[in-house]
Amino acid sequence: QVQLVESGGGLVKPGGSLRLSCAASGFSFGDYYMTWVRQAPGKGLEWLSYISSGGDNTHYAASVKGRFTVSRDNAENSLYLQMNSLRVEDTALYYCARECDIGDCVDQWGRGTLVTVSS
Amino acid sequence: QSVLTQPPSVSAAPGQKVTISCSGSSSNIGINYVSWYQQLPGTAPKLLIYENNLRPSGIPDRFSGSKSGTSAALVITGLQTGDEADYYCGTWDSSLSVGMFGGGTKLTVL
């Protein structure tokens, strides 16, 4: 079965950096676009970024563009999110998710990893 | 504030029907597919509807989706207490080149 397991979350000070990882299994990882979505405590879903199957095409939400970088290692079935210049408002549960075959939707989600930005 | 507008909450009695709306614009819902997600308390979201009105395997036909112009809707019939959750619409915005979700709608089954 499809599994997406995020890791790397934790407590970080404003201005700090963190790298999230997502280990994928149960499907042909290199065939799928992948997405990062976050959810601040008590708030709704916020789309952050996607990366194409080959890793050559990426898009970012305005709120993280220039600070976050998505990447992948298809040989390791892994997705990453490098987060720099973190702000208090980046505090959220970060989900790794798989794009649908045909795009325009997300059909598999991890359980998320919590990032807390606080002094 | 989300670009896709959903009502913050809806409610209905068990067995009844509820409609959750999602309003966007010509650059997102107007030209792209809409998907819907259910998030039960304390869990990750789950895909309910894709390509405006298609259900993934395992999603009961009590859940249906539609799209007209720059708006979309999720209809849930035969409401059950287990349907109490937050529901989100999602799509792509071709002008901004970003994905987006609605602000979410909390469904209460009275």
Side-chain angles (χ1 to χ4, degrees):
Chain A
Q1 73 283 18
V2 173
Q3 275 202 310
L4 298 169
V5 180
E6 303 91 339
S7 60
L11 176 63
V12 62
K13 288 182 167 49
S17 297
L18 216 52
R19 189 194 197 207
L20 305 184
S21 299
C22 172
S25 60
F27 66 103
S28 183
F29 179 72
D31 288 343
Y32 285 84
Y33 282 39
M34 298 295 294
T35 289
W36 286 98
V37 175
R38 71 183 178 186
Q39 187 168 34
K43 302 296 184 183
L45 302 177
E46 181 185 9
W47 181 91
L48 292 181
S49 175
Y50 89 65
I51 185 167
S52 60
S53 53
D56 56 338
N57 187 17
T58 58
H59 286 274
Y60 298 91
S63 58
V64 304
K65 195 168 189 176
R67 300 188 299 124
F68 290 11
T69 303
V70 61
S71 62
R72 64 191 296 162
D73 185 337
N74 287 346
E76 295 292 327
N77 292 334
S78 293
L79 176 72
Y80 305 101
L81 186 67
Q82 177 66 44
M83 305 186 297
N84 299 330
S85 303
L86 282 162
R87 305 166 180 167
V88 170
E89 54 266 33
D90 293 320
T91 294
L93 186 63
Y94 284 71
Y95 291 106
C96 161
R98 187 182 80 173
E99 291 270 326
C100 299
D101 278 344
I102 36 67
D104 285 358
C105 63
V106 172
D107 66 354
Q108 298 291 335
W109 300 71
R111 293 187 176 185
T113 185
L114 182 62
V115 172
T116 302
V117 185
S118 174
S119 53
Chain B
Q1 189 173 353
S2 303
V3 175
L4 302 180
T5 302
Q6 297 181 233
S9 64
V10 295
S11 62
Q16 296 301 302
K17 178 177 91 169
V18 70
T19 300
I20 298 172
S21 60
C22 175
S23 178
S25 69
S26 58
S27 63
N28 44 65
I29 291 180
I31 55 174
N32 292 304
Y33 287 127
V34 176
S35 51
W36 288 91
Y37 304 86
Q38 176 193 60
Q39 187 175 33
L40 296 169
T43 70
K46 173 183 171 182
L47 179 65
L48 278 183
I49 298 289
Y50 67 99
E51 287 187 12
N52 303 331
N53 57 14
L54 300 181
R55 285 184 306 277
S57 172
I59 301 300
D61 59 8
R62 299 188 299 107
F63 296 90
S64 63
S66 65
K67 187 182 99 166
S68 178
T70 58
S71 293
L74 173 70
V75 175
I76 311 172
T77 60
L79 276 171
Q80 302 173 0
T81 55
D83 295 332
E84 285 203 335
D86 293 322
Y87 292 84
Y88 296 89
C89 58
T91 190
W92 180 258
D93 190 292
S94 296
S95 290
L96 300 173
S97 291
V98 297
M100 51 184 51
F101 293 100
T105 299
K106 182 175 182 62
L107 168 63
T108 301
V109 181
L110 303 166

